[in-house]
Amino acid sequence: MNLSAGTRADATGILLGAALDAIFGDPRRWHPVAGFGRFAGGLERRLYADDRRAGARFAAVAVGAPVAAAAACAWLTRRHPVARTALMAAATWSALGGTSLAREGRVMAGRLAAGDLPGARDQLPNLCGRDPATLEAPELARATVESLAENTSDAVVAPLFWAAVAGVPGIVGYRAINTLDAMVGHRSDRYRRFGTASARLDDAANLAPSRFTAALTVAAAPLVGGRPSEALRIWLRDGSRHPSPNSGQCEAAAAGALGIRLGGRNVYGSRVEERPHLGDGAPPAPADVRRAATLSLAVGTAAAVLAAGARLLIARCRRKR
């Protein structure tokens, strides 16, 4: 199998992996990301120091090891298109979380619509890290929509983007980076310095995918009753107001597509953040949560098709050389 055939197998694997996610959601048992988390946790215990250089060494090893393993697997399957397709499909299915994300969002929408506030509060930790104990229905709806918008990039578009750019090592490397950010990249006394490298690496890895997510959200706005022109206006106006260089892009575009307003006061344990408002509409209602889940699935579907197409385009360009 030549190089072009390998990228064609990758394209097929991307579509197959996306289909598996659509049908089954996240793998229920033996999830590779959970295995990586255990590996990274053990590595942290060996390398931890309250120091940025220690954090950089940790990130280099924790990301480098799975990328090297993925590259070796890609090389071993270079002459076996069926095996290469299966490898990419498995990597894609393991990396994607779009179906499970939308499912959790719809569960939240149902509980809010039914007035089940305790159930909605119990549901929120499945979507984000905010403290739900004191949140009322409007804030639970807002937290859910913001999480759906942000995680459509992190859990769907970004893995597909890196699969298109760099094949199996790309998607494995991205998932490792994103998992490290969730483990050590947050602000706390323990990880303020040690987690800096992981957090900045995640910001860099999501710089382009977050903007692709916003662009796809703009294009998909009519599917949820929105207008692309309004989604584009809000994205360009408000995307940089968010403290994250990436999350604001997705959230602003989603706010514009849904015709709602996001942002406000967020509580994460003992840490409180005041976020600027994104969008001009009313705060999200339960029906908007369901619309946000539909928007997330539409963006993910478009991203999978485009990623496979981009991988085929790479094969065509290499063949012409």
Side-chain angles (χ1 to χ4, degrees):
M1 182 173 66
N2 59 31
L3 196 58
S4 295
T7 50
R8 287 196 296 272
D10 284 347
T12 304
I14 288 170
L15 292 176
L16 182 56
L20 289 169
D21 178 66
I23 296 168
F24 299 109
D26 288 338
R28 298 283 180 157
R29 300 180 63 186
W30 308 105
H31 201 303
V33 174
F36 172 77
R38 289 190 292 271
F39 160 73
L43 190 65
E44 179 191 344
R45 288 190 290 273
R46 288 177 175 270
L47 298 181
Y48 178 82
D50 190 15
D51 179 81
R52 290 186 179 184
R53 287 177 295 181
R57 289 192 294 270
F58 165 73
V61 176
V63 174
V67 168
C73 290
W75 184 84
L76 290 171
T77 57
R78 71 194 186 283
R79 300 184 188 281
H80 307 281
V82 174
R84 180 67 164 267
T85 299
L87 176 66
M88 176 56 91
T92 303
W93 183 24
S94 298
L96 294 183
T99 298
S100 296
L101 176 66
R103 183 186 300 133
E104 298 292 351
R106 285 172 172 165
V107 169
M108 175 65 85
R111 291 181 179 179
L112 289 173
D116 181 8
L117 190 58
R121 286 172 175 164
D122 288 343
Q123 177 66 10
L124 189 64
N126 294 336
L127 288 153
C128 67
R130 293 183 209 174
D131 182 1
T134 61
L135 297 185
E136 300 298 325
E139 287 302 296
L140 290 166
R142 177 174 71 85
T144 301
V145 173
E146 290 173 354
S147 179
L148 286 167
E150 178 183 357
N151 284 297
T152 298
S153 178
D154 289 357
V156 186
V157 178
L160 291 166
F161 173 87
W162 286 108
V165 170
V168 175
I171 194 169
V172 168
Y174 173 76
R175 181 47 65 208
I177 290 169
N178 190 244
T179 303
L180 285 191
D181 181 60
M183 292 177 67
V184 306
H186 49 87
R187 296 174 183 175
S188 67
D189 291 340
R190 177 176 174 82
Y191 296 127
R192 194 174 306 279
R193 284 174 285 272
F194 183 78
T196 297
S198 295
R200 290 181 178 173
L201 194 58
D202 184 71
D203 285 343
N206 282 293
L207 197 65
S210 63
R211 285 148 181 85
F212 281 124
T213 302
L216 291 173
T217 299
V218 168
L223 297 176
V224 291
R227 292 185 291 120
S229 59
E230 180 66 6
L232 178 62
R233 183 182 73 84
I234 297 299
W235 171 27
L236 296 179
R237 188 194 73 183
D238 295 348
S240 297
R241 292 182 178 180
H242 197 283
S244 164
N246 300 318
S247 298
Q249 308 296 321
C250 313
E251 291 181 19
L258 297 167
I260 58 175
R261 186 180 75 241
L262 300 175
R265 189 172 190 263
N266 293 348
V267 179
Y268 303 89
S270 61
R271 179 166 56 90
V272 178
E273 294 184 4
E274 294 289 342
R275 300 279 179 85
H277 287 132
L278 311 176
D280 293 332
D288 297 315
V289 175
R290 194 172 298 277
R291 292 168 65 219
T294 299
L295 183 63
S296 176
L297 287 175
V299 169
T301 300
V305 173
L306 290 173
R311 201 68 185 149
L312 287 173
L313 182 61
I314 291 171
R316 184 175 179 181
C317 293
R318 286 172 172 171
R319 188 167 60 249
K320 285 183 176 181
R321 290 178 188 173

